[in-house]
Structure formats: structure tokens, C-alpha cells
């Protein structure tokens, strides 16, 4: 098994500074590490991006987020060199974009509906389908929660024009990163910061803080009994699931993401992180 990380843009033979601790921890554990050119991947120049990757291995990527089509090109370019990503392009797409995982996790996540594209007619139809009350807006891959009142929170779905103003601002802020369409999720009140859980082959191997709040450590003994069979049924090799406790005490899924492009909180050391991931997966 080989770990792939983005190269440092200024020193292309070295790992990017953000992922260097994980690369160093992997090498210390006897795991092969290679770098890829993330900027080339983002430009859809996948063959050029993987020239430093040695042939003939199964690989796990730990790097910056990629659009699903760019990841597919990445997988194809590696396959041409005899390297297989443990997470296939189809699996990445299902984990990375909300419509790919929502139906399987519907019992444990806020009710959601979405559009294809960014037209107002489609947005209004989705808004009507969701019903009344407050909602949170995002696209298939990301919210703008740090712009909560202007680009994320919709106080009342019945107020068409104010809701569209939020959607318009969201679209402006996401710019070229806007993915798929608008997603509207019923608003639920949470009483905790988010907990990030890491899963390999349907089993939880690590529980930690969310990267946005790395010092807010999760409670001990987090009960994942209900969630585990749902995640296992997705049949995805490496994912994260972000959880928060609702005001009635129930833990709810905020997000599922592909584990390769999910950030590690600073409160989890790179050594502990690599040890947990490699212990949980095939060697």
C-alpha cells in the first residue's frame, strides 16, 4: 500500500506542508509515499500530475479536495502506470457528493432535497418540496457555513425572494467551485460542535474533533450502534462522517465525505492518524 500526497508547489519533490506530517508518519511506519501535482490535477492534466508515482501498487490519496471528474482522470492516469486507487472513481463520487450517500443515511440526517444546476425555477421547486420552516443551503459538496446569514441559513422556506437571495449569494461565493446544484436541508438545532469519525470498510477506526474546532474533543463512548450498519451498507472503502447532537439528545449526521480529502484536526497527531488508518485497512 502506498500513500499519495500533494507536492509542495515550490519544492515539487517534497510533500505539501499541510500533508507533510502525515507523509513523514507514513514513512516512519514503513509505508511508501509519493507526491502528485495537485495543480495539474485541478487543470485536468492528470498524466502530468502523476509522473513521480512509481508503478505497481495500491494507493490511498491524502490531499486537497478534487472534483469528481478530476478524481476520475486521476484514477485513470494512475491505472495507466499500474497503480490502483483503493477508492475507485465511482466510490469517490458517491462519497464526495451528497446525492450519492443521502438515501442510505436518510434516517439519521436532516431531510434534504436538491436541484441539478443553479436555475431559480429548480430552486423554487426544491424549496417547495422541502416544505416550510427553516433550512440550510449548500451544494453537492460543501456549505458556506462561515457566511451563515448571507449564504447558508434560510429562516423560512415560504419566503421565496429572501430564500433566493441566500442562494444567489451562495452561488457567488462558491464561484467556479459550485458543484452539482443547490441542496436544501431542513434546519435542526444542535447543542454540540461537530465530531469527525473516520471509517474504513464500514468500521469506525477513529473518533476525533472536527477540524474547525480541533480543541472541542468528542465525548467518550460515542454510541455508533445505529450508524454503523448504515455506513457499512454504503460499501465505501474510506470515508468520514461528521456528527452533532441535536437538542433532543440524538446524534445526527451532518456530512459524509471521502476520507482521502477530509481534513485531519490538529488535535489528532499524524502518527496516531496514520496508525489508525493503516491498522483499519488492507496492508
Amino acid at each position: 500500500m502506498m500513500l499519495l500526497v500533494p507536492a509542495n508547489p515550490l519544492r515539487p519533490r517534497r510533500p505539501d506542508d499541510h500533508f507533510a506530517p502525515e507523509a513523514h508518519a507514513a514513512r516512519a511506519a514503513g509505508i511508501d509515499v509519493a507526491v502528485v501535482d495537485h495543480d495539474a490535477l485541478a487543470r485536468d492534466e492528470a498524466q502530468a500530475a502523476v509522473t513521480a508515482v512509481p508503478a505497481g501498487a495500491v494507493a490511498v490519496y491524502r490531499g486537497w479536495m478534487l472534483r469528481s471528474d478530476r478524481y476520475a482522470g486521476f484514477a485513470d492516469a494512475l491505472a495507466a502506470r499500474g497503480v490502483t486507487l483503493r477508492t475507485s472513481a465511482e466510490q469517490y463520487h458517491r462519497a464526495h457528493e451528497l446525492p450519492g450517500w443521502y438515501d442510505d443515511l436518510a434516517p439519521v440526517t436532516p431531510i434534504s432535497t436538491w436541484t441539478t444546476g443553479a436555475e431559480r425555477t429548480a430552486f423554487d421547486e426544491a424549496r417547495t418540496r422541502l416544505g416550510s420552516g427553516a433550512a440550510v443551503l449548500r451544494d453537492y459538496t460543501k456549505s458556506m457555513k462561515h457566511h451563515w446569514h448571507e449564504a447558508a441559513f434560510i429562516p423560512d422556506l415560504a419566503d421565496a425572494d429572501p430564500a433566493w437571495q441566500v442562494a444567489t449569494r451562495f452561488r457567488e461565493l462558491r464561484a467556479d467551485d459550485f458543484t452539482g446544484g443547490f441542496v436544501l436541508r431542513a434546519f435542526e438545532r444542535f447543542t454540540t460542535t461537530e465530531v469527525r469519525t473516520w471509517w474504513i470498510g464500514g468500521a469506525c477506526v477513529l473518533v476525533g474533533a472536527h477540524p474547525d474546532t480541533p480543541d472541542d474533543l468528542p465525548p467518550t463512548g460515542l454510541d455508533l450502534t445505529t450508524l454503523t450498519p448504515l455506513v457499512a451498507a454504503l460499501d465505501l472503502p474510506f470515508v468520514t462522517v461528521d456528527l452533532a447532537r441535536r437538542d433532543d439528545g440524538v446524534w445526527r449526521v451532518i456530512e459524509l465525505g471521502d476520507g482521502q480529502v477530509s481534513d485531519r484536526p490538529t488535535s489528532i497527531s499524524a502518527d496516531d492518524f496514520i496508525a489508525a488508518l493503516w491498522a483499519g485497512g488492507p496492508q
Side-chain angles (χ1 to χ4, degrees):
M1 186 72 71
M2 176 169 52
L3 178 68
L4 304 179
V5 297
N8 186 313
L10 300 179
R11 297 178 176 180
R13 294 184 179 181
R14 299 186 181 184
D16 184 283
D17 288 349
H18 189 79
F19 297 97
E22 293 178 26
H24 296 160
R27 287 189 175 118
I31 300 164
D32 292 333
V33 177
V35 295
V36 298
D37 185 339
H38 174 82
D39 291 340
L41 287 176
R43 294 192 303 266
D44 201 19
E45 298 172 3
Q47 295 289 347
V50 302
T51 55
V53 178
V58 176
V60 174
Y61 175 63
R62 280 289 298 153
W64 305 114
M65 188 178 292
L66 292 167
R67 298 180 73 95
S68 294
D69 60 338
R70 298 296 192 256
Y71 185 89
F74 181 32
D76 288 344
L78 288 171
R81 299 178 67 83
V83 176
T84 302
L85 282 167
R86 192 167 80 184
T87 298
S88 70
E90 185 273 335
Q91 289 169 329
Y92 179 86
H93 184 257
R94 283 199 291 126
H96 186 53
E97 300 186 9
L98 181 142
W101 55 262
Y102 173 78
D103 285 347
D104 291 273
L105 299 189
V108 293
T109 198
I111 297 171
S112 304
T113 188
W114 54 85
T115 72
T116 301
E119 293 75 23
R120 175 158 186 178
T121 299
F123 174 81
D124 284 338
E125 290 173 352
R127 178 175 56 79
T128 301
R129 285 198 303 273
L130 192 58
S132 60
V136 178
L137 180 70
R138 51 168 289 170
D139 66 13
Y140 287 11
T141 64
K142 191 174 178 63
S143 73
M144 296 299 291
K145 62 184 179 181
H146 299 299
H147 299 267
W148 181 252
H149 290 291
E150 62 175 317
F153 181 62
I154 296 174
D156 189 349
L157 288 163
D159 288 343
D161 288 341
W164 180 243
Q165 287 179 345
V166 173
T168 300
R169 182 60 176 149
F170 174 88
R171 181 69 182 84
E172 290 173 352
L173 290 171
R174 286 289 280 150
D176 292 341
D177 292 326
F178 181 80
T179 302
F182 294 118
V183 176
L184 287 161
R185 287 168 64 74
F187 175 71
E188 297 183 359
R189 280 186 198 282
F190 299 107
T191 60
T192 65
T193 56
E194 292 179 36
V195 173
R196 175 155 290 180
T197 59
W198 302 80
W199 302 70
I200 293 180
C204 183
V205 298
L206 192 62
V207 177
H210 190 276
D212 290 345
T213 53
D215 296 324
D216 290 341
L217 300 181
T220 58
L222 183 65
D223 186 359
L224 300 174
T225 304
T226 300
L227 182 60
T228 296
L230 302 179
V231 175
L234 285 164
D235 195 26
L236 296 171
F238 180 25
V239 298
T240 54
V241 182
D242 296 340
L243 306 166
R245 186 161 49 202
R246 198 168 55 189
D247 58 5
D248 61 358
V250 175
W251 286 90
R252 301 283 279 167
V253 171
I254 306 300
E255 177 78 270
L256 183 141
D258 185 84
Q260 300 174 107
V261 297
S262 297
D263 203 9
R264 170 179 58 89
T266 56
S267 48
I268 295 177
S269 74
D271 289 333
D272 289 345
F273 180 75
I274 291 297
L277 298 194
W278 252 255
Q283 306 302 304

